[in-house]
Amino acid sequence: MKLDQAKKDYYRRIAKKEGYRSRATFKLIQIDKKYHIFKKKQIVVDFGCAPGGWLQYISRAIGNEGFALGIDLKRVEPIGSNVEILVADVNDESIKDKIMSKLRKKADVVTSDLSPNVSGIWELDVAKQIDLTSKVVEILPFILKEGGHAIMKVFQGAPFSEFLKKIKKNFKDVIIIKPPASRPESSEMYLLCREFIFQSSKDTT
Ligand SMILES: C[S@@+](CC[C@H](N)C(=O)[O-])C[C@H]1O[C@@H](n2cnc3c(N)ncnc32)[C@H](O)[C@@H]1O
């Protein structure tokens, strides 16, 4: 068996054992174990949340006095009393208003694990993924508090460096992470963006 497949099977097995809906959950857990982003009572917005593995972890980490809003094209089975799901497209023009109407104040943390349906055409998939994630970045000034953090998946490819340059202007520091649970063969990386610097959305483009 290839190492890649063995790794997939390993995380699938422990996800099942620990009751997580996705093996992707371990990528977030590994990031959080090292950088301690999630805390009790936080407000979190999670983009591309289905089937809900990240939200299961976030829900526990923020506790009953916290609130998490998940957004996905797909429906998600209920997670807990501190989690609400918005079935919506991030490309929807009214997405930021829909999100803001659900939050009592701006989020402490925004996460994004957005992935398009991969076509296998490398350049196209990278462009689509960066495009989706750019939508999240566009609305950050409306939904993330000053000093808040973001964790975002990105596919590495030609548009990545331009994207990184842009995101670095919006945060005090940005760390590129390849969590052990992410397959080495996969082009995905995670950006841990700490301490959001508020600028109007026009300045961030
Ligand atoms: C890798 S999965 C997320 C897994 C999730 N983090 C978990 O642990 O369960 C990526 C998600 O992005 C969602 N997605 C893709 N395009 C989207 C869009 N335009 N708007 C909202 N969600 C989208 C997909 O439906 C898919 O559920």
Side-chain angles (χ1 to χ4, degrees):
M1 194 192 297
K2 277 190 174 161
L3 192 63
D4 192 25
Q5 187 58 41
K7 198 170 185 179
K8 257 186 175 173
D9 291 348
Y10 169 75
Y11 283 109
R12 199 169 285 138
R13 248 192 344 267
I14 52 170
K16 197 170 171 202
K17 188 165 158 240
E18 295 184 21
Y20 287 117
R21 296 177 189 180
S22 68
R23 58 184 176 79
T25 316
F26 294 100
K27 301 172 195 171
L28 188 68
I29 293 175
Q30 287 164 354
I31 294 170
D32 195 40
K33 288 277 175 279
K34 184 157 180 193
Y35 295 99
H36 313 289
I37 297 300
F38 299 104
K39 304 208 166 40
K40 296 288 177 212
K41 300 186 185 178
Q42 281 177 330
I43 296 178
V44 180
V45 179
D46 181 33
F47 288 90
C49 65
W54 281 26
L55 280 177
Q56 287 178 292
Y57 176 75
I58 292 166
S59 166
R60 285 175 205 169
I62 62 179
N64 285 340
E65 291 178 66
F67 174 71
L69 178 68
I71 296 132
D72 206 288
L73 294 169
K74 299 177 197 150
R75 304 193 79 79
V76 175
E77 289 297 314
I79 308 258
S81 57
N82 60 354
V83 179
E84 213 176 300
I85 307 294
L86 194 59
V87 178
D89 187 334
V90 290
N91 296 305
D92 180 343
E93 280 196 359
S94 60
I95 190 74
K96 84 170 159 45
D97 299 326
K98 286 183 179 161
I99 295 170
M100 285 158 74
S101 74
K102 299 274 182 193
L103 302 180
R104 58 178 190 272
K105 54 183 181 170
K106 284 183 175 180
D108 301 286
V109 184
V110 168
T111 54
S112 168
D113 198 22
L114 284 163
S115 284
N117 281 331
V118 283
S119 67
I121 304 167
W122 170 241
E123 290 81 1
L124 187 66
D125 292 338
V126 172
K128 275 192 191 166
Q129 202 279 335
I130 294 272
D131 200 43
L132 282 175
T133 312
S134 298
K135 290 284 181 317
V136 174
V137 175
E138 231 171 75
I139 59 174
L140 283 181
F142 301 97
I143 63 166
L144 181 62
K145 73 173 192 187
E146 175 130 35
H149 309 308
I151 299 172
M152 293 184 284
K153 174 162 74 187
V154 279
F155 285 0
Q156 276 190 310
F160 174 70
S161 55
E162 197 51 42
F163 177 82
L164 186 62
K165 219 191 286 170
K166 201 195 287 181
I167 198 100
K168 278 183 168 173
K169 286 195 224 157
N170 294 278
F171 288 88
K172 196 164 167 200
D173 77 18
V174 177
I175 306 172
I176 303 173
I177 304 171
K178 180 79 176 167
S182 175
R183 295 173 297 123
E185 288 78 0
S186 150
S187 70
E188 70 180 14
M189 304 293 281
Y190 288 83
L191 299 182
L192 170 60
C193 311
R194 292 186 293 194
E195 297 192 36
F196 184 58
I197 302 160
F198 180 82
Q199 298 164 22
S200 78
S201 58
K202 268 190 263 153
D203 302 334
T204 61
T205 50

